[in-house]
Amino acid sequence: MLEQRVREDRKATGKEAKFLRNIWYVAGYARELDENNRLTRRLLGEAIFIFRTGDGRLCALRNRCPHRFAPLSMGRLEGDAVRCAYHGLAFDGSGSCSHNPHGPKGALSVRAYPIVEQDGLLWIWMGTPDQADRATIPDFGRLDPQQFHVRSGYLHGQAPYELMSDNILDLSHIEFLHPLLGTPEVSQAKVEVRQEEGQVIVRRHMRGEVLPAGLAQVYRTGARAVDRMLEVVWHPPASMVLTVSVATSDGGPDWQSGSQTLHIFTPETSGTTHYFYVASLARDKAGEEAADGFFAALELVFTTEDKPMIDAQAAEIGEEEFEDLRPALLPIDKGPVLARRRLKQMIEAEC
Amino acid sequence: MLEQRVREDRKATGKEAKFLRNIWYVAGYARELDENNRLTRRLLGEAIFIFRTGDGRLCALRNRCPHRFAPLSMGRLEGDAVRCAYHGLAFDGSGSCSHNPHGPKGALSVRAYPIVEQDGLLWIWMGTPDQADRATIPDFGRLDPQQFHVRSGYLHGQAPYELMSDNILDLSHIEFLHPLLGTPEVSQAKVEVRQEEGQVIVRRHMRGEVLPAGLAQVYRTGARAVDRMLEVVWHPPASMVLTVSVATSDGGPDWQSGSQTLHIFTPETSGTTHYFYVASLARDKAGEEAADGFFAALELVFTTEDKPMIDAQAAEIGEEEFEDLRPALLPIDKGPVLARRRLKQMIEAEC
Amino acid sequence: MLEQRVREDRKATGKEAKFLRNIWYVAGYARELDENNRLTRRLLGEAIFIFRTGDGRLCALRNRCPHRFAPLSMGRLEGDAVRCAYHGLAFDGSGSCSHNPHGPKGALSVRAYPIVEQDGLLWIWMGTPDQADRATIPDFGRLDPQQFHVRSGYLHGQAPYELMSDNILDLSHIEFLHPLLGTPEVSQAKVEVRQEEGQVIVRRHMRGEVLPAGLAQVYRTGARAVDRMLEVVWHPPASMVLTVSVATSDGGPDWQSGSQTLHIFTPETSGTTHYFYVASLARDKAGEEAADGFFAALELVFTTEDKPMIDAQAAEIGEEEFEDLRPALLPIDKGPVLARRRLKQMIEAEC
């Protein structure tokens, strides 16, 4: 399936241009590097080989030797470089050939991608390298393990990343797709959508809501009616911060006692997606056990409710363009529509 | 494979127009509806969701919510309607939106297909709804369980439905493909082919034939030489009634003591087919055990002899058009050729 | 996968023209014919049915009945002919219809391919039949089982045959891909490449080399430093004779005491390959056990080192043309480049 999809991406004229390139993408978690400090993953249709040099520096190369296109990931790390297993050419983290057993190194090189570790995430720049500015990596906050219980997971989506963003940008689905987490108040909530500095922000305020048992435990509300806010902040191309704030009715507004969940989607190909999700709860509010329970519930819901639905949507849409099928637009789609529009503008601006 | 085929059907410009649409197709057996009164099946390339409303009415909808294209079959039946599991839109059996939790129902709708149950078969109309006339559903007879032992089965063909029709319309293959059922008389038989009221009728008369043991038992001929007639009546697009009549040499012509087999092919996609087959024997001639034996033999033959051959043919033909490969025409092909020609005319008349 | 590849080959306009046709290809080993004297294999994208007639004559037919395109391989051999299992047409080894149960034989025929057995290999001519000259089948020598221990094997490559030829034509990869067989001398060796009568010949001379244990045993050199020559002779389209000659330092130049390995690649489709390999050692130099060990080592290396690398290369190249990706050219590529160029000229000359 993956191979088939990659073939189709390549055949579609100019289809690779569909991805926003001059932006940071999450390539994985730092913990995903194996015991030999290596990780191979396809991103935006390109096979990437990520590794750490002997002195701990993080590097990312196109996983394709320029000589015969053997995957460098089949090779061996030697100090600063990876040596191709086929004919022994070695390339350092900058992509330059550091050793050619068969002649001069000349201009031999492989594409290198800027890559940075931050808060346990590996951020890669798939565009023009000299435009990569580390300062533009979004700071999601609440990831300091001293202050927060932080848990992270991964799912592989058989769907375009845009569909997966839509799912988070319109949380009215909670009531229907996640019956154990939903309340009528979520779908009846007043929804504010606005754009700010290239971000799309969707807020839902729920008043006097009695939370389902599981959530009541995580947020320590018991059976009391509480006010709650769900805020989703979309960062292009496809990272979302979902913040839940809970104001207990007896303790006044305490927006810090909620939770944060990151939903980060990185296209593997035009039709498949890496889904990285990270949840955090404040240590001074919730215990280890509550955090474990919260994360287990999220994982269950993502795996058994969101993923099957989105994969099924994608299968039904097939190779057609989502917009070409003229989906019925509802008021709840404002967030998804704004984010798609913004993304499209950014991609067009790159062409 | 299915997903790949659907993709190819969609990509091929105008390829969906290849199916005859203003005609009744068999979508399944009534008994295939599950304990929740639901059946999901792809027909003519389109995913269809079939269900019964609370009061037993049969409905068929395009299995695709018009909002985000989620399969309605993932939703829940609520009285007269199905509620989408994703964002809660509900649609009744007419395809109209009966409830929108997020705003006005407006013109929200999903395509509905006329569907009718008759003799345990679900007949669906894939064309213009107001042309659907229940009176044009073919009456195959001999399906009344009071009078007949009726047995039915299903096979999935990895072949275009036209190839599967060809197989029934030219029974000269029996001698070669079904050695246990064949007799030299079948292929040496005089074959009459004629068209009548849009049907194609192929008849084979065998004179003084000693039937193979299995058939001799079903038709109670013993080792006596008998006259037999095989008649295939093709109804467009791809339903065939195969009637076997046996005249015992001592009892005079008793054309009622034979068997009837329905062969109904409904395209799933341009290259895959739903095969519904129904056999019946008169209760006043054959016992339960003979009927079971007859059906088991048919099923074995379809599964281990016809299907592998037709799937292999289809694989060899691949994506090419059958006619473009210029098949050698033999006299035995008259039935298949007439049916294909008629079908082509009907499809062209719809364009 | 195979079916998908065949479809793509057919869709690509003129892609079948890519194969050199007027040349002998190896279709298999004579020992691969089953107990009924049959072998079915796809070659150059075409399904071929190979069989022996009752009197032992070898025949090859397009595996496709001209009537309904049923695979003839599903039929039965009857004397000189194969009878189609579907409607009983029979074809003899010349491709002529020898019996039609349904009417005159007329001009019914199926494509026949000249096919010859030589040294246990089945050689087939995929081009214009009257240009097939048995004298142009290459004589690889050293295949007489009286004089040589001969062992042969088969692998299926998920890669274009050209990539597999490249692998043999540039043996500098031994040091890196086959660490247990490699010596520094191989990659440092002086390499001579030349063309001669349409062949490409690549020679490597290693001086004063101490062979790894396994090779030292096969070539009976012990721990002594020896001179060794590796010679690869490429025959179009994709057969290579790899001769290893070893001159023991005490016994003077004895170029006969080495080994010969044939590497024969026949395209199944444009992206998949039949790999036939045959190893031989002189009986008067090596014992049965040494021959077994030698062959087991080759098989292990081909299966666990060459094949995974070449399949991975092919996956990374995907549907793109190798040359279009502009591979970096190194001096070691001279052999592969000359062979590819010669092959291209021959294919173009056929158009």
Side-chain angles (χ1 to χ4, degrees):
Chain A
M1 266 321 287
L2 175 58
E3 204 182 291
Q4 174 62 20
R5 176 67 72 164
V6 169
R7 271 211 295 273
E8 285 173 0
D9 274 14
R10 281 176 180 152
K11 268 188 243 166
T13 314
K15 204 154 183 179
E16 295 203 46
K18 270 183 57 177
F19 297 117
L20 186 62
R21 297 203 71 101
N22 284 312
I23 195 119
W24 293 98
Y25 283 91
V26 170
Y29 297 110
R31 62 171 164 81
E32 289 184 289
L33 289 162
D34 67 16
E35 72 274 21
N36 295 314
N37 281 315
R38 308 152 60 107
L39 173 64
T40 306
R41 188 160 270 163
R42 190 171 292 274
L43 305 173
L44 286 66
E46 294 172 19
I48 310 286
F49 177 55
I50 298 168
F51 62 99
R52 274 194 215 283
T53 58
D55 55 6
R57 203 159 30 87
L58 198 60
C59 307
L61 300 179
R62 184 90 158 88
N63 192 21
R64 177 195 264 193
C65 179
H67 173 224
R68 309 297 290 184
F69 312 127
L72 293 175
S73 58
M74 295 177 81
R76 202 163 51 189
L77 294 187
E78 297 183 359
D80 267 9
V82 55
R83 183 176 298 279
C84 180
Y86 203 179
H87 300 94
L89 299 185
F91 299 90
D92 64 25
S94 75
S96 301
C97 180
S98 58
H99 183 231
N100 172 5
H102 314 290
K105 292 180 285 183
L108 282 168
S109 71
V110 62
R111 180 166 179 183
Y113 305 80
I115 187 167
V116 167
E117 181 180 347
Q118 182 175 295
D119 295 321
L121 294 168
L122 306 176
W123 289 92
I124 193 169
W125 182 268
M126 300 294 289
T128 313
D130 59 16
Q131 294 184 28
D133 177 0
R134 193 181 164 142
T136 63
I137 296 177
D139 175 10
F140 293 136
R142 303 197 195 190
L143 294 172
D144 174 5
Q146 302 298 321
Q147 275 188 271
F148 298 92
H149 302 287
V150 181
R151 302 281 188 280
S152 60
Y154 171 87
L155 277 178
H156 184 262
Q158 295 282 346
Y161 69 103
E162 299 96 326
L163 272 190
M164 301 183 80
S165 293
D166 292 350
N167 183 58
I168 304 299
L169 281 161
D170 171 20
L171 294 177
S172 72
H173 75 265
I174 291 178
E175 182 189 357
F176 303 98
L177 192 59
H178 310 308
L180 289 178
L181 299 182
T183 66
E185 284 83 0
V186 171
S187 58
Q188 290 156 19
K190 184 159 165 285
V191 181
E192 290 168 40
V193 181
R194 67 175 205 277
Q195 296 191 72
E196 205 175 279
E197 296 171 14
Q199 299 174 355
V200 173
I201 300 168
V202 183
R203 282 190 175 161
R204 280 186 153 67
H205 292 267
M206 282 77 69
R207 308 288 183 195
E209 184 189 27
V210 175
L211 297 180
L215 292 182
Q217 202 172 353
V218 171
Y219 300 131
R220 300 159 309 284
T221 61
R224 289 177 308 240
V226 295
D227 291 351
R228 191 163 62 126
M229 184 176 77
L230 298 181
E231 181 196 66
V232 176
V233 180
W234 173 85
H235 301 256
S239 299
M240 273 134 281
V241 186
L242 166 52
T243 311
V244 179
S245 307
V246 176
T248 55
S249 54
D250 55 349
D254 174 15
W255 302 110
Q256 309 308 313
S257 62
S259 63
Q260 175 180 283
T261 326
L262 304 181
H263 301 265
I264 303 174
F265 304 111
T266 302
E268 180 184 50
T269 66
S270 65
T272 56
T273 300
H274 303 292
Y275 181 6
F276 305 100
Y277 49 91
V278 183
S280 52
L281 288 173
R283 285 188 179 275
D284 60 2
K285 301 282 180 182
E288 200 76 49
E289 207 175 320
D292 288 346
F294 180 55
F295 189 69
L298 287 182
E299 197 142 54
L300 184 72
V301 158
F302 296 166
T303 307
T304 64
E305 295 176 341
D306 292 288
K307 177 176 160 54
M309 176 56 79
I310 300 170
D311 288 357
Q313 256 187 301
E316 182 57 32
I317 293 170
E319 290 302 287
E320 309 216 44
E321 287 296 321
F322 177 71
E323 278 85 2
D324 292 351
L325 295 176
R326 283 182 285 170
L329 280 181
L330 303 181
I332 53 177
D333 297 317
K334 191 170 173 192
V337 164
L338 288 180
R340 279 181 179 259
R341 189 180 300 160
R342 171 84 185 131
L343 183 58
K344 198 174 169 197
Q345 288 165 348
M346 292 177 79
I347 292 172
E348 281 168 0
E350 280 192 352
C351 294
Chain B
M1 263 322 284
L2 176 59
E3 202 182 293
Q4 173 64 19
R5 176 67 71 165
V6 170
R7 269 212 297 273
E8 285 172 1
D9 273 14
R10 282 176 180 151
K11 268 188 245 168
T13 314
K15 202 153 185 180
E16 295 203 48
K18 270 183 55 176
F19 298 116
L20 186 61
R21 297 203 70 100
N22 285 312
I23 197 120
W24 293 98
Y25 282 93
V26 171
Y29 298 108
R31 63 173 163 80
E32 289 184 289
L33 289 161
D34 67 17
E35 71 275 21
N36 296 313
N37 282 315
R38 309 152 59 107
L39 174 64
T40 306
R41 188 160 271 161
R42 190 171 291 274
L43 305 173
L44 285 66
E46 294 173 19
I48 310 287
F49 177 54
I50 298 168
F51 62 99
R52 275 193 215 282
T53 59
D55 55 6
R57 200 158 35 85
L58 198 60
C59 306
L61 299 178
R62 184 90 157 86
N63 191 21
R64 175 194 266 195
C65 179
H67 174 224
R68 310 298 288 181
F69 313 127
L72 293 174
S73 58
M74 294 177 82
R76 203 163 51 189
L77 295 188
E78 297 183 359
D80 268 8
V82 55
R83 184 176 297 281
C84 180
Y86 202 178
H87 299 94
L89 299 185
F91 299 90
D92 65 24
S94 76
S96 300
C97 181
S98 57
H99 184 232
N100 172 4
H102 313 290
K105 293 180 284 184
L108 282 168
S109 72
V110 63
R111 179 166 181 183
Y113 305 80
I115 186 165
V116 167
E117 180 179 348
Q118 183 175 294
D119 296 321
L121 294 169
L122 306 177
W123 289 93
I124 194 170
W125 182 268
M126 300 294 288
T128 313
D130 58 17
Q131 295 184 29
D133 177 0
R134 195 182 162 140
T136 62
I137 296 178
D139 175 10
F140 293 137
R142 304 197 195 189
L143 295 173
D144 174 4
Q146 301 298 322
Q147 274 187 273
F148 298 93
H149 300 289
V150 181
R151 303 280 189 281
S152 61
Y154 172 86
L155 276 178
H156 184 263
Q158 295 283 345
Y161 69 105
E162 299 96 327
L163 272 190
M164 300 182 79
S165 294
D166 293 349
N167 184 57
I168 304 299
L169 281 161
D170 171 21
L171 293 177
S172 72
H173 75 265
I174 292 178
E175 182 189 358
F176 303 98
L177 192 58
H178 310 307
L180 289 177
L181 299 181
T183 65
E185 286 83 1
V186 172
S187 58
Q188 289 157 19
K190 185 158 165 286
V191 181
E192 289 167 40
V193 181
R194 67 174 203 276
Q195 296 190 72
E196 205 175 278
E197 296 170 17
Q199 299 173 355
V200 173
I201 300 167
V202 183
R203 282 190 175 164
R204 280 187 153 66
H205 293 266
M206 282 76 70
R207 307 288 181 196
E209 184 190 28
V210 176
L211 296 180
L215 292 181
Q217 200 171 356
V218 171
Y219 299 130
R220 300 159 308 282
T221 61
R224 289 178 307 242
V226 295
D227 291 350
R228 190 163 62 126
M229 184 176 76
L230 298 181
E231 182 198 63
V232 176
V233 181
W234 172 85
H235 300 255
S239 299
M240 274 133 280
V241 186
L242 167 52
T243 310
V244 179
S245 306
V246 177
T248 56
S249 54
D250 54 352
D254 173 15
W255 302 111
Q256 309 308 313
S257 63
S259 62
Q260 174 180 282
T261 325
L262 304 181
H263 301 264
I264 303 174
F265 304 110
T266 302
E268 180 183 51
T269 66
S270 66
T272 57
T273 299
H274 303 291
Y275 180 6
F276 305 99
Y277 49 91
V278 183
S280 51
L281 288 174
R283 283 190 180 275
D284 60 4
K285 301 282 179 183
E288 201 75 50
E289 206 176 322
D292 288 346
F294 181 55
F295 190 69
L298 286 182
E299 197 142 54
L300 184 73
V301 159
F302 296 166
T303 307
T304 65
E305 295 176 343
D306 291 287
K307 178 174 158 57
M309 176 56 79
I310 300 170
D311 288 357
Q313 255 186 303
E316 182 57 32
I317 294 169
E319 290 302 285
E320 310 216 42
E321 288 297 322
F322 177 71
E323 278 85 2
D324 292 352
L325 294 175
R326 283 182 286 170
L329 280 181
L330 304 182
I332 52 177
D333 297 318
K334 191 170 173 193
V337 164
L338 288 181
R340 280 182 179 258
R341 190 181 299 160
R342 171 84 186 132
L343 183 59
K344 198 175 169 196
Q345 288 164 348
M346 294 177 79
I347 292 172
E348 280 168 1
E350 280 191 352
C351 294
Chain C
M1 266 320 287
L2 175 59
E3 203 182 293
Q4 173 62 22
R5 176 67 72 165
V6 170
R7 269 212 295 274
E8 286 173 359
D9 273 14
R10 282 176 180 152
K11 269 188 245 170
T13 314
K15 202 155 185 179
E16 295 203 46
K18 270 182 57 176
F19 297 117
L20 187 62
R21 296 202 73 100
N22 285 312
I23 196 122
W24 293 97
Y25 282 92
V26 170
Y29 297 109
R31 63 171 164 82
E32 289 184 288
L33 289 162
D34 67 16
E35 70 275 21
N36 296 314
N37 281 317
R38 308 152 61 105
L39 173 65
T40 305
R41 187 159 272 161
R42 191 171 289 275
L43 305 172
L44 286 66
E46 294 173 19
I48 310 286
F49 177 55
I50 299 168
F51 62 99
R52 273 194 214 282
T53 59
D55 55 6
R57 204 159 30 88
L58 198 61
C59 306
L61 299 179
R62 186 89 157 87
N63 191 21
R64 174 194 267 192
C65 178
H67 173 225
R68 310 297 289 181
F69 313 126
L72 293 175
S73 57
M74 294 176 82
R76 201 163 53 188
L77 295 187
E78 298 183 359
D80 267 10
V82 56
R83 184 176 298 279
C84 180
Y86 202 0
H87 300 95
L89 299 185
F91 299 90
D92 65 23
S94 75
S96 300
C97 181
S98 57
H99 184 231
N100 173 4
H102 314 289
K105 294 179 285 182
L108 283 168
S109 71
V110 63
R111 179 167 180 183
Y113 305 81
I115 187 166
V116 167
E117 180 181 348
Q118 182 175 299
D119 295 321
L121 295 168
L122 306 177
W123 290 92
I124 194 169
W125 182 269
M126 301 293 289
T128 312
D130 59 17
Q131 295 184 29
D133 177 359
R134 194 183 164 141
T136 63
I137 296 177
D139 175 10
F140 293 138
R142 302 196 196 193
L143 295 172
D144 174 4
Q146 302 298 323
Q147 273 187 276
F148 298 93
H149 301 288
V150 181
R151 303 280 189 280
S152 61
Y154 171 86
L155 276 179
H156 184 262
Q158 295 283 345
Y161 68 104
E162 299 97 325
L163 271 189
M164 301 183 80
S165 293
D166 292 350
N167 183 59
I168 304 299
L169 281 160
D170 171 21
L171 293 177
S172 71
H173 75 265
I174 292 178
E175 182 189 358
F176 303 99
L177 192 59
H178 309 308
L180 289 178
L181 299 182
T183 65
E185 284 82 2
V186 171
S187 57
Q188 291 157 18
K190 186 161 163 286
V191 181
E192 291 167 39
V193 182
R194 67 174 204 277
Q195 296 190 71
E196 204 175 281
E197 297 170 17
Q199 300 173 352
V200 172
I201 300 167
V202 182
R203 282 189 175 164
R204 278 185 156 66
H205 292 267
M206 282 76 70
R207 308 288 182 197
E209 184 190 27
V210 176
L211 295 181
L215 292 181
Q217 201 171 355
V218 172
Y219 299 129
R220 299 160 308 284
T221 62
R224 288 178 307 242
V226 295
D227 291 351
R228 189 162 65 125
M229 183 176 76
L230 299 181
E231 180 196 65
V232 176
V233 180
W234 173 85
H235 301 256
S239 299
M240 275 134 280
V241 186
L242 166 51
T243 311
V244 178
S245 307
V246 176
T248 55
S249 54
D250 54 351
D254 173 16
W255 302 109
Q256 308 308 315
S257 62
S259 62
Q260 175 181 283
T261 326
L262 304 182
H263 302 264
I264 303 174
F265 303 111
T266 301
E268 179 183 50
T269 66
S270 66
T272 56
T273 299
H274 303 292
Y275 180 6
F276 305 99
Y277 49 90
V278 183
S280 51
L281 288 173
R283 284 190 180 274
D284 60 3
K285 299 283 179 181
E288 201 75 50
E289 205 176 323
D292 287 347
F294 180 54
F295 190 69
L298 286 182
E299 197 142 55
L300 184 73
V301 158
F302 296 166
T303 307
T304 64
E305 295 176 341
D306 292 287
K307 176 175 160 55
M309 176 56 79
I310 300 170
D311 288 357
Q313 255 187 302
E316 181 57 32
I317 294 170
E319 290 302 286
E320 309 216 43
E321 287 296 321
F322 177 71
E323 278 86 1
D324 292 351
L325 294 175
R326 282 181 287 170
L329 281 181
L330 303 181
I332 52 177
D333 297 318
K334 191 171 174 191
V337 164
L338 288 179
R340 280 181 178 259
R341 189 180 299 161
R342 170 85 186 129
L343 183 59
K344 199 176 168 195
Q345 287 165 349
M346 292 177 78
I347 291 172
E348 281 168 359
E350 280 191 352
C351 292

